[in-house]
Amino acid sequence: MTIYSIIFYILALLILVSTGLAITRRNLVHAVIYLIFSFFGSALLFYLFGAPLLAVLEVIIYAGAIMILFLFIIMMVKVEASVERMFPLNQWLPAAGIGLMYLAIGALIVSSAPGKDIPLEMAFADPKEFGQYLFQRHWLSIEIVSLLLLIALIGALHLGRRRREEKIEEKP
Amino acid sequence: MIVPFGHVLILAGILFLMGMFCAVTRRNLIMIVLGIEIMLNAASIVFVGAALRWHHLEGQVFVVFILAVAATEVSVGLALIVYAYLRTGSFDPGTYNLLK
């Protein structure tokens, strides 16, 4: 067991604990903060797996942009005014049972699949090489994804604008 | 060496199930979208692990696309959630029964 495997298991434990805390919080702000910790752990895991550019992107986009967007929305509306009604226990117990069954089956498949014991070698994808690979081999996909982001921008703007017009219509 | 590839798969599987559990059992639209984010994150962990397993950059390229799709989904999803909240005054999907 090398130092890297110890780091991996510590990171895995941190990610699982912070995600588990996040999905069980009643307070939305606490959930988002715990999830930011989880995404920092994932970013460190990416770095350990030899993807430094993706680690930085994970911190900037996931932990930075997306989670701050969630915080903005939570602070914009009065969440505490509407107390969340939880499902009764006999309704979410089947979900938990089915999830655990899938987990058991998945663990069985993973533990019996060929090549599961192949140890991962340490590698390092240079950000410059990675960027060149991305833009030489996948330039069309990059264009399509940028179009998707543009459509998301237009859609979000449209949803935000229609609301204001309706308010003006309701006044008279 | 770091760890066997199976351990990465099991970590991502548990994370994916946590996200699925959050999306299925919570009755708050914001928590449902958070659950979807957790699932996408688990998928990208598998992709980076597979890129290391086969020493191929293709898996890392896919994570960039997952990031873009996650950002898209969150921006449109949260705009829809705010719209629904202003229409009905609640985050509970059970109260969205305006057609009734």
Side-chain angles (χ1 to χ4, degrees):
Chain A
M1 193 174 239
T2 60
I3 180 83
Y4 296 117
S5 35
I6 296 170
I7 291 173
F8 172 81
Y9 290 122
I10 292 173
L11 276 180
L13 197 69
L14 274 176
I15 293 170
L16 290 179
V17 167
S18 55
T19 311
L21 282 172
I23 64 172
T24 50
R25 292 303 98 176
R26 300 292 286 269
N27 190 329
L28 290 176
V29 179
H30 292 179
V32 170
I33 300 291
Y34 277 122
L35 212 57
I36 288 176
F37 279 113
S38 163
F39 286 145
F40 270 119
S42 311
L44 288 174
L45 202 61
F46 286 177
Y47 193 83
L48 183 68
F49 284 168
L53 184 66
L54 290 179
V56 172
L57 281 180
E58 173 99 358
V59 171
I60 292 174
I61 296 179
Y62 260 115
I66 294 179
M67 288 299 126
I68 297 303
L69 200 62
F70 273 106
L71 278 184
F72 271 144
I73 299 297
I74 292 169
M75 289 170 184
M76 218 172 79
V77 293
K78 279 185 297 178
V79 173
E80 66 272 11
S82 61
V83 180
E84 183 182 357
R85 286 185 301 134
M86 290 290 186
F87 280 117
L89 191 69
N90 58 356
Q91 273 190 30
W92 67 261
L93 218 54
I98 291 171
L100 286 179
M101 235 168 70
Y102 273 124
L103 186 67
I105 293 171
L108 265 179
I109 291 174
V110 166
S111 63
S112 65
K116 56 153 174 119
D117 286 329
I118 295 175
L120 299 174
E121 302 283 328
M122 280 299 279
F124 186 77
D126 189 41
K128 191 181 167 193
E129 283 172 24
F130 175 65
Q132 277 177 351
Y133 183 85
L134 183 61
F135 277 94
Q136 278 173 0
R137 293 280 195 86
H138 297 278
W139 58 270
L140 187 60
S141 312
I142 292 285
E143 291 297 324
I144 294 170
V145 157
S146 64
L147 211 61
L148 183 70
L149 285 172
L150 179 67
I151 291 169
L153 175 67
I154 294 171
L157 274 177
H158 179 68
L159 280 172
R161 210 182 54 148
R162 200 170 60 185
R163 193 184 67 223
R164 228 171 284 136
E165 280 171 4
E166 274 178 9
K167 264 188 190 166
I168 294 166
E169 277 171 16
E170 282 169 6
K171 266 182 188 169
Chain B
M1 70 162 271
I2 305 178
V3 282
F5 184 52
H7 291 191
V8 181
L9 282 181
I10 289 176
L11 164 68
I14 296 174
L15 209 56
F16 191 91
L17 273 174
M18 276 182 174
M20 201 172 79
F21 194 73
C22 179
V24 167
T25 58
R26 297 299 294 259
R27 293 187 73 163
N28 189 322
L29 276 181
I30 292 182
M31 286 310 285
I32 291 173
V33 178
L34 273 183
I36 294 171
E37 288 305 308
I38 296 171
M39 287 195 264
L40 283 170
N41 191 44
S44 45
I45 286 177
V46 174
F47 271 111
V48 175
L52 187 62
R53 156 82 169 74
W54 278 280
H55 282 284
H56 210 277
L57 276 179
E58 214 71 47
Q60 296 194 10
V61 168
F62 220 92
V63 175
V64 175
F65 299 140
I66 290 181
L67 279 175
V69 170
T72 308
E73 171 246 325
V74 159
S75 59
V76 176
L78 286 180
L80 275 172
I81 288 173
V82 170
Y83 184 67
Y85 177 78
L86 291 176
R87 284 290 293 269
T88 63
S90 166
F91 281 123
D92 191 346
T95 61
Y96 298 160
N97 49 9
L98 295 177
L99 278 178
K100 208 186 299 181

